[in-house]
């Protein structure tokens, strides 16, 4: 009855589209994945912001990511903010400064721990 999803890079992009397509999802944690696809496809998750709430969404991005620009993830979270006004604790965006797509082993561990904590928090509701 309670489903969560998470992924890194392409897995993060799949996480966003899964939210659009799977109404049973209640928590999602994409890392270094973009909700805005480069090609102008109508299926791009950023075109379906209204389908995200009340999924507990925690996105992690890297400021200097050369593969998945943080600006797309940041802009999407800004777009989602008013949709989460009744439950702002269910939406979180974290951007790691001065790093690219290849996080250090220590930062990967930090990102993983944050992802697990988010899932544990909201999957139990």
């Amino acid at each position: 009855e309670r489903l969560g999803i998470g992924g890194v890079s392409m897995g993060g992009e799949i996480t966003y589209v899964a939210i659009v397509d799977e109404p049973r999802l209640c928590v999602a944690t994409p890392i270094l994945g973009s909700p805005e696809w480069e090609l102008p496809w109508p299926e791009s998750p950023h075109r379906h912001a209204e389908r995200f709430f009340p999924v507990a969404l925690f996105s992690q991005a890297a400021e200097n990511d050369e593969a998945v620009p943080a600006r797309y993830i940041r802009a999407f979270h800004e777009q989602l903010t008013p949709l989460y006004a009744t439950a702002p604790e269910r939406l979180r965006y974290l951007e790691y400064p001065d790093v690219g797509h290849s996080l250090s082993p220590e930062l990967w561990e930090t990102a993983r721990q944050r992802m697990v904590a988010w899932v544990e928090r909201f999957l139990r509701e």
Side-chain angles (χ1 to χ4, degrees):
E1 294 180 359
R2 308 292 295 167
L3 293 177
I5 189 170
V8 178
S9 194
M10 178 61 77
E13 295 190 17
I14 291 168
T15 297
Y16 287 113
V17 78
I19 295 168
V20 172
D21 291 340
E22 180 50 70
R24 295 175 296 170
L25 287 171
C26 63
V27 61
T29 59
I31 300 174
L32 307 179
S34 179
E36 185 171 341
W37 298 348
E38 288 185 22
L39 296 175
W41 293 347
E43 297 88 359
S44 182
H46 81 286
R47 298 177 184 270
H48 305 281
E50 73 285 352
R51 295 190 190 169
F52 279 73
F53 184 79
V55 173
L57 176 63
F58 174 32
S59 300
Q60 297 180 66
E63 178 185 34
N64 299 327
D65 193 325
E66 62 285 353
V68 182
R71 70 180 178 273
Y72 297 124
I73 308 163
R74 187 182 324 112
F76 186 62
H77 271 260
E78 290 170 4
Q79 181 183 355
L80 289 174
T81 297
L83 301 174
Y84 280 77
T86 59
E89 71 280 0
R90 299 183 69 79
L91 182 65
R92 183 171 181 211
Y93 173 75
L94 179 64
E95 188 171 309
Y96 297 106
D98 301 320
V99 294
H101 198 69
S102 297
L103 304 180
S104 69
E106 297 81 15
L107 201 49
W108 275 119
E109 180 58 21
T110 298
R112 186 195 67 77
Q113 288 175 0
R114 289 175 170 157
M115 180 174 83
V116 169
W118 186 264
V119 169
E120 287 178 343
R121 176 181 174 191
F122 288 101
L123 201 58
R124 295 179 182 173
E125 287 186 343

